[in-house]
Amino acid sequence: MTPSQVLNTLSSDRFHPASETRLLGESVANKLGVKPYMQDDALESHLLNSHCPRILLVATHGYFAQEKQQAYLNLIRQLLNCTNGEELEILLAHPHLLDQNLLSTMKTLAIKLAENSHEQLANWLQNYAIVLLLEILAKTSQERQDRLANAQLENPMMRSGIALAGANTWLSGGTLPKKAGKGLLFAQDIAALDLWENELSVLVACESGIGDVKLGEGVFGMRRAFPVAGCKTLVMSLWKVPEKASVLLMDRFFNNLEAGTGRGEALLEAQNYIRTITVRSLKSSELGLKVLDELAEIKVLLPENRDSQLDYRPLEHPYFWAAWVCQGDTSSFKL
């Protein structure tokens, strides 16, 4: 294995493509008459450098950093790729990572590199980088080490975020074009945005290998960041809802807004619509038929009695509609 591959074996952190969000993005964009930014075009610069959107939909993976392992690996990558003489400067620029866990990660990596015939890098880590870190730690009191190690990740605004185009490249230590930023927007980054003209933001959290906006701190970070940035209303999902059901709910939600219904009431009515919709109603529209196909794929069974199938409510379970919450201004506004 290459040194990069060896590093990757120490962490499974990777986002998988959120292709299931395309239909939702296209549906909402079409309703609003705007161009959606999809997949590789979902760049950080569109949020950071553009005029404040009146309505914003972000449908992607949520990120919640429970461990510092990835940060350790990114720091080690910097050390391995830096010019001779820059090592001390790089280490001192990351005081919150300079602890015994980083030391342990370095030692484990040195062993793995040696096992994969990268003796030169293993020796450099063992005889230089680790020695340099030990010298720094020896000059730092244990109390200060503990305080620095915990300071950043105790803040949920730095532990939660959303994945954009380039997130995997950044996590693996690769280089991204300037417009892509780091591919991850932490809650702290979002809080610094200018969203004071934003009437509504919709945040759809999807599952991922490392992501999942977690209940508790992760969600707290997102739910706090958008209002701090100026967003008047935030609608967000607390867990992944099947794609077609999400589109159906959002379609109803935006129709309600268009009709002048208040934001909070529009969401509640859309949730009730999903909860009570019957197979008969779903079969009457193209999107409804797609919902039924999706339910068959995830093995949601209809009643065996064909006479009762048409009146059956296949989306009645809270899993399909209760994930959505609305906070902030609940009044009506013109789309």
Side-chain angles (χ1 to χ4, degrees):
M1 288 191 291
T2 66
S4 179
Q5 289 172 325
V6 173
L7 269 166
N8 288 339
T9 64
L10 300 185
S11 173
S12 60
D13 288 2
R14 186 170 183 82
F15 291 107
H16 302 294
S19 56
E20 68 274 11
T21 63
R22 174 172 291 277
L23 182 60
L24 177 59
E26 290 176 343
S27 173
V28 174
N30 182 63
K31 191 170 288 292
L32 298 177
V34 298
K35 173 191 172 183
Y37 295 114
M38 301 285 193
Q39 303 302 325
D40 291 343
D41 197 27
L43 299 168
E44 180 180 304
S45 56
H46 291 316
L47 273 175
L48 297 184
N49 303 326
S50 299
H51 180 71
C52 173
R54 193 160 177 268
I55 298 175
L56 172 66
L57 168 70
V58 181
T60 183
H61 292 306
Y63 176 84
F64 182 63
Q66 292 180 306
E67 303 290 344
K68 295 171 68 175
Q69 182 69 6
Q70 188 60 53
Y72 293 139
L73 298 181
N74 286 337
L75 177 56
I76 294 172
R77 283 190 181 93
Q78 289 186 50
L79 293 172
L80 291 173
N81 295 323
C82 75
T83 303
N84 288 340
E86 294 181 344
E87 295 88 355
L88 180 60
E89 181 181 351
I90 290 173
L91 286 170
L92 294 179
H94 300 82
H96 61 287
L97 297 178
L98 307 186
D99 55 25
Q100 294 299 319
N101 290 327
L102 174 60
L103 183 63
S104 176
T105 301
M106 282 185 171
K107 290 178 178 179
T108 301
L109 179 59
I111 294 172
K112 284 184 172 290
L113 286 170
E115 290 174 348
N116 286 274
S117 302
H118 298 292
E119 288 84 2
Q120 186 175 354
L121 286 176
N123 289 334
W124 181 86
L125 267 178
Q126 191 67 48
N127 299 322
Y128 181 75
I130 289 176
V131 171
L132 185 59
L133 176 60
L134 284 170
E135 291 175 355
I136 295 173
L137 293 177
K139 297 176 182 178
T140 307
S141 70
Q142 186 60 51
E143 180 183 357
R144 178 171 171 76
Q145 286 181 43
D146 293 340
R147 186 168 67 252
L148 288 173
N150 293 325
Q152 183 176 9
L153 292 185
E154 284 179 351
N155 180 4
M157 300 292 279
M158 291 300 296
R159 299 185 70 185
S160 56
I162 52 177
L164 300 174
N168 285 332
T169 300
W170 184 79
L171 285 171
S172 63
T175 302
L176 287 168
K178 186 176 181 180
K179 62 182 179 180
K182 57 184 176 293
L184 278 173
L185 273 184
F186 295 105
Q188 189 67 50
D189 299 321
I190 294 170
L193 294 175
D194 178 6
L195 294 180
W196 288 99
E197 295 182 21
N198 177 252
E199 288 287 345
L200 171 67
S201 286
V202 179
L203 178 61
V204 185
C206 295
E207 293 177 343
S208 71
I210 63 173
D212 300 350
V213 173
K214 302 291 185 182
L215 293 175
E217 286 190 343
V219 171
F220 170 77
M222 290 292 101
R223 296 182 73 170
R224 182 178 181 183
F226 278 89
V228 168
C231 165
K232 293 182 177 65
T233 305
L234 175 64
V235 171
M236 67 183 295
S237 63
L238 302 182
W239 61 80
K240 181 186 176 184
V241 179
E243 175 199 13
K244 309 302 189 301
S246 294
V247 174
L248 189 63
L249 186 145
M250 279 290 115
D251 192 60
R252 184 77 173 193
F253 172 63
F254 278 97
N255 282 342
N256 291 339
L257 292 177
E258 200 169 25
T261 307
R263 283 163 261 202
E265 186 181 346
L267 179 61
L268 287 175
E269 195 282 334
Q271 289 175 303
N272 189 57
Y273 171 74
I274 295 297
R275 184 177 64 83
T276 59
I277 195 168
T278 63
V279 172
R280 187 192 310 275
S281 296
L282 289 171
K283 284 188 173 183
S284 67
S285 70
E286 182 180 354
L287 178 55
L289 290 172
K290 291 180 179 179
V291 171
L292 290 173
D293 289 340
E294 182 178 54
L295 293 177
E297 291 175 6
I298 61 176
K299 296 181 172 51
V300 174
L301 301 178
L302 300 180
E304 292 184 5
N305 186 339
R306 288 185 175 273
D307 292 335
S308 62
Q309 277 189 8
L310 290 178
D311 294 322
Y312 181 64
R313 299 174 177 179
L315 303 177
E316 190 171 22
H317 192 281
Y319 166 69
F320 294 104
W321 53 269
W324 300 91
V325 295
C326 176
Q327 70 171 42
D329 188 350
T330 60
S331 65
S332 62
F333 74 104
K334 292 184 179 180
L335 288 183

